[in-house]
């Protein structure tokens, strides 16, 4: 699947990417009678939202809708849902219709998501194949738009990553195949037939599942890495 643009949320003045296991938006535009006027494989949801927590309720404060030629019915729905104070701006370069100056309580959202921060220093093989290359992982659970649970998994993930920090040599010599491009640079391929690799993957997978099963889905939700093979791994 094509990498998907993430919704974001403002927390303490900083914008964070939202990781979810759904291709339906937190604010589902079609459910509200609003339809995109174009197509983008990088956003199957049809829109990208920016959210904010206000008194433990989730609010939509900005919305980018795919396309610049919204139907009249969609524009009427926008006015009805967000009020006439909503500012609508079209950007033909990015093929977006942007809604600003909105403050809409997402009172019909029941579900969960994570915010994550990515560690650029993680070894490329560890990162690419799903070993949680994150310095921050915080879980948010909502019922009808109200925050009912928040868990910071950052320390637990860090403890797992400590096992990975000194594995570069082992990974390159034992568990993966190092290939060279024609220009002399390198890329990596996992060796699925290597028993050490399979055993190690299973160990990390079990440790992550021991923290929270849903953490296994963060990487594919972000659309950054191909690690789906982890989820049905049969390894001793």
């Amino acid at each position: 699947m094509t990498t998907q643009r993430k919704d974001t949320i403002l927390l303490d003045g900083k914008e964070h990417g939202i990781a979810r296991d759904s291709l339906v938006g937190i604010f589902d535009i079609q459910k509200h009678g609003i339809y995109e006027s174009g197509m983008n494989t990088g956003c199957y949801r049809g829109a990208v939202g920016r959210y904010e927590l206000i008194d433990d309720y989730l609010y939509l404060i900005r919305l980018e809708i795919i396309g610049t030629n919204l139907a009249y019915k969609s524009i009427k729905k926008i006015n009805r849902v967000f009020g006439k104070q909503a500012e609508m701006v079209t950007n033909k370069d990015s093929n977006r219709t942007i809604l600003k100056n909105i403050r809409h309580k997402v009172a019909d959202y029941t579900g969960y998501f994570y915010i994550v921060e990515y560690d650029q220093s993680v070894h490329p093989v560890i990162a690419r194949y799903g070993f949680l290359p994150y310095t921050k992982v915080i879980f948010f659970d909502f019922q009808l738009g109200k925050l009912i649970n928040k868990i910071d998994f950052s320390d637990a993930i860090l403890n797992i990553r400590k096992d990975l920090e000194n594995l570069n040599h082992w990974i390159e010599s034992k568990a993966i195949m190092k290939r060279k491009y024609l220009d002399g640079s390198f890329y990596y391929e996992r060796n699925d037939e290597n028993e050490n690799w399979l055993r190690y993957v299973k160990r990390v997978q079990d440790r992550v599942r021991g923290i929270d099963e849903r953490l296994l889905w963060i990487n594919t939700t972000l659309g950054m890495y191909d690690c789906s093979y982890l989820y049905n791994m049969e390894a001793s």
Side-chain angles (χ1 to χ4, degrees), residues 89-120:
V89 179
T90 58
N91 186 326
K92 294 189 181 297
D93 291 336
S94 62
N95 192 32
R96 299 282 192 277
T97 297
I98 303 169
L99 301 182
K100 303 177 180 180
N101 196 29
I102 59 177
R103 192 172 183 265
H104 176 75
K105 182 187 285 188
V106 192
D108 59 350
Y109 178 65
T110 295
Y112 66 88
F113 60 72
Y114 293 85
I115 64 167
V116 299
E117 290 184 0
Y118 178 57
D119 183 354
Q120 299 287 346

Side-chain angles (χ1 to χ4, degrees), residues 27 29-30 32-37 63 65-90 92 96-99 102:
F27 175 83
I29 60 172
Q30 295 186 7
H32 290 82
I34 303 168
Y35 295 88
E36 65 271 32
S37 64
L63 188 66
I65 305 170
I66 303 298
T68 58
N69 297 304
L70 300 185
Y72 176 69
K73 287 183 178 180
S74 290
I75 294 175
K76 284 188 65 176
K77 288 290 186 180
I78 287 171
N79 291 333
R80 184 176 301 171
V81 172
F82 300 112
K84 293 188 177 181
Q85 80 279 1
E87 180 184 354
M88 189 181 307
V89 179
T90 58
K92 294 189 181 297
R96 299 282 192 277
T97 297
I98 303 169
L99 301 182
I102 59 177

Side-chain angles (χ1 to χ4, degrees), residues 96-236:
R96 299 282 192 277
T97 297
I98 303 169
L99 301 182
K100 303 177 180 180
N101 196 29
I102 59 177
R103 192 172 183 265
H104 176 75
K105 182 187 285 188
V106 192
D108 59 350
Y109 178 65
T110 295
Y112 66 88
F113 60 72
Y114 293 85
I115 64 167
V116 299
E117 290 184 0
Y118 178 57
D119 183 354
Q120 299 287 346
S121 69
V122 174
H123 188 279
V125 173
I126 294 175
R128 185 174 181 186
Y129 296 120
F131 294 135
L132 297 167
Y134 308 113
T135 54
K136 178 179 286 187
V137 180
I138 304 178
F139 167 83
F140 295 82
D141 194 9
F142 294 87
Q143 185 171 2
L144 297 177
K146 182 176 174 59
L147 180 67
I148 59 173
N149 196 15
K150 176 183 174 182
I151 307 173
D152 190 336
F153 289 111
S154 304
D155 289 342
I157 294 301
L158 179 61
N159 288 334
I160 294 178
R161 284 189 50 213
K162 286 179 178 178
D163 287 349
L164 310 175
E165 290 175 352
N166 298 316
L167 287 174
N168 290 2
H169 176 73
W170 179 85
I171 288 173
E172 294 184 6
S173 63
K174 301 287 187 182
I176 59 102
M177 296 174 283
K178 190 173 184 180
R179 308 292 194 191
K180 182 182 286 189
Y181 286 113
L182 292 177
D183 65 3
S185 61
F186 291 95
Y187 69 99
Y188 301 89
E189 291 181 356
R190 68 176 186 266
N191 184 354
D192 288 337
E193 296 180 359
N194 184 293
E195 292 184 3
N196 291 329
W197 173 255
L198 294 177
R199 192 175 295 114
Y200 182 71
V201 167
K202 184 64 164 56
R203 187 180 78 181
V204 173
Q205 182 189 26
D206 287 345
R207 289 190 63 185
V208 172
R209 182 181 286 113
I211 300 172
D212 192 301
E213 182 92 22
R214 292 164 294 198
L215 287 170
L216 289 171
W217 293 97
I218 287 181
N219 284 348
T220 51
T221 302
L222 287 173
M224 297 173 72
Y225 311 111
D226 172 20
C227 59
S228 57
Y229 77 98
L230 282 171
Y231 308 133
N232 296 305
M233 179 70 66
E234 295 294 336
S236 57

